[in-house]
Amino acid sequence: MARPGAACPPPARRVMVAARALLFWALVYSYCGVCACIAGLRLLWSIGRRPGETFRWVVRENPPACLNDPSLGTHCYVRIKDSGLRFHYVAAGERGKPLMLLLHGFPEFWYSWRHQLREFKSEYRVVALDLRGYGETDAPSHKENYKIDCLIADIKDILESLGYSKCVLIGHDWGGMIAWLVAICYPEMVTKLIVVNFPHPSVFTEYILRHPSQLIKSGYYFFFQMPWFPEFMFTLNDFKVLKSLFTSQATGIGRKGCRLTAEDIEAYLYVFSQPGALTGPINHYRTIFSCLPLQHHEVIMPTLLLWGERDAFMEVEMAEITRIYVKNHFRLTILSEASHWLQQDQPDIVNKLIWTFLKEETKRKRE
């Protein structure tokens, strides 16, 4: 008889690993099926109420003027040698200044950083990127091209292509997860890390398995595992879901902050109404379950985590737990009455907090 606590023999260990994997994927696809059924019921309800409006989809052919506002910076492109992909970004501030690289979330694009492009260009070369598959950046067709390793490599290669060896890295939502992973994998490239409304990835994966409420809030991760159907659901009623994400009372911007203007909303609709424009962004999620959990966890550079307390998608408890993975100065600020879209919702406060953190760290280094 094996001693209690003794290591399992290899065959038994393989069976245990296989059983856990089977259970994990059964959970993933079962919840995927539940989310699909809910989406199907919503579709039927919409057809029953407004059959003529349900399948209306208008492709915006001309960008609104705000996307070409010169105060936001210059539209630029860079082609990465290894992947061959062409990335679009908007850059503000003089070349040669320290680089501040901004990574957006879903369903967003470079424009979500408009307030920060204007604010930080006085002291930084501020670059707001369209991530792989988004906006004017190239979108590989196969979902395997959106694995986490590819997304991390994109940021490393873009940094080098811009002529920099390090940067202040800022990410929101999905861009926040990429920012955490870049900081973990390439710590020498990140002088300071700032993340908005996304916990350390290890916190997220552990928390979601223990808290059904967060599992429900993250249901779209599972729904997005399906082919084509999530993209189709976004197009219904001329992108009603997209509009609702940014404007509804439950999830939208502006409870006690800035509201999106009609032109801002048109900017989002212009980008995501283009044929095929949603597949690349959703493909980011379609490989996530094969990439987590992480093998390496620690973040060693000064880190600022900003959080909107009224986030409809991420529970605020994860923000505080994130502290244990940062082995350097860590500052957490939770803003009450702020939504998930924090840097657009309360830009003045967010910008002030970022300035304070950056100057505080500069002073700390001198001392």
Side-chain angles (χ1 to χ4, degrees), residues 114-158:
R114 58 197 175 280
H115 303 291
Q116 288 68 45
L117 282 162
R118 292 191 183 100
E119 177 70 22
F120 295 100
K121 65 183 179 182
S122 59
E123 293 189 24
Y124 289 88
R125 175 69 168 172
V126 188
V127 170
L129 188 68
D130 274 344
L131 296 175
R132 177 183 290 225
Y134 282 83
E136 293 184 59
T137 290
D138 287 347
S141 58
H142 201 281
K143 72 176 185 180
E144 296 301 313
N145 294 122
Y146 294 86
K147 285 187 174 180
I148 289 294
D149 290 347
C150 298
L151 307 180
I152 297 171
D154 284 345
I155 307 307
K156 173 180 178 293
D157 294 342
I158 285 166

Side-chain angles (χ1 to χ4, degrees), residues 130-316:
D130 274 344
L131 296 175
R132 177 183 290 225
Y134 282 83
E136 293 184 59
T137 290
D138 287 347
S141 58
H142 201 281
K143 72 176 185 180
E144 296 301 313
N145 294 122
Y146 294 86
K147 285 187 174 180
I148 289 294
D149 290 347
C150 298
L151 307 180
I152 297 171
D154 284 345
I155 307 307
K156 173 180 178 293
D157 294 342
I158 285 166
L159 199 68
E160 294 171 350
S161 297
L162 294 174
Y164 287 86
S165 59
K166 56 188 178 181
C167 70
V168 173
L169 186 60
I170 305 181
H172 168 248
D173 183 69
W174 184 263
M177 187 178 76
I178 296 173
W180 281 114
L181 295 173
V182 171
I184 292 167
C185 297
Y186 298 105
E188 71 282 0
M189 302 184 78
V190 182
T191 57
K192 299 175 185 69
L193 176 66
I194 300 170
V195 179
V196 183
N197 279 78
F198 200 94
H200 186 288
S202 293
V203 173
F204 181 66
T205 54
E206 293 163 7
Y207 189 91
I208 195 173
L209 293 174
R210 293 183 172 91
H211 295 82
S213 56
Q214 181 58 55
L215 187 68
I216 293 170
K217 290 180 180 179
S218 300
Y220 60 97
Y221 277 69
F222 299 85
F223 179 54
F224 287 170
Q225 302 310 304
M226 299 183 66
W228 72 263
F229 191 48
E231 290 94 321
F232 170 71
M233 290 298 294
F234 262 93
T235 66
L236 298 179
N237 295 289
D238 194 29
F239 297 90
K240 181 180 178 180
V241 171
L242 185 66
K243 298 172 192 172
S244 178
L245 282 173
F246 292 114
T247 62
S248 73
Q249 192 66 28
T251 66
I253 294 170
R255 286 186 180 89
K256 289 192 176 179
C258 295
R259 290 189 181 275
L260 290 187
T261 66
E263 192 175 39
D264 292 335
I265 294 171
E266 277 304 307
Y268 281 93
L269 293 173
Y270 168 75
V271 167
F272 289 107
S273 69
Q274 305 307 312
L278 283 159
T279 298
I282 293 176
N283 274 343
H284 279 248
Y285 292 86
R286 287 181 169 135
T287 62
I288 187 64
F289 292 113
S290 61
C291 300
L292 297 175
L294 305 177
Q295 292 183 342
H296 306 289
H297 305 274
E298 292 185 354
V299 174
I300 62 172
M301 68 286 302
T303 301
L304 171 65
L305 178 58
L306 300 176
W307 204 280
E309 190 175 25
R310 298 283 186 168
D311 191 326
F313 309 102
M314 294 282 174
E315 296 190 351
V316 69

Side-chain angles (χ1 to χ4, degrees), residues 15-69:
V15 170
M16 288 177 63
V17 169
R20 290 179 64 183
L22 181 63
L23 185 62
F24 173 76
W25 286 109
L27 171 65
V28 169
Y29 286 111
S30 295
Y31 196 28
C32 173
V34 170
C35 293
C37 290
I38 293 171
L41 290 173
R42 287 177 176 169
L43 172 59
L44 293 174
W45 176 257
S46 178
I47 293 172
R49 290 185 63 198
R50 297 180 178 177
E53 292 290 314
T54 297
F55 301 106
R56 188 170 68 90
W57 167 15
V58 178
V59 176
R60 278 72 178 173
E61 296 185 0
N62 298 307
C66 62
L67 293 183
N68 293 306
D69 183 347

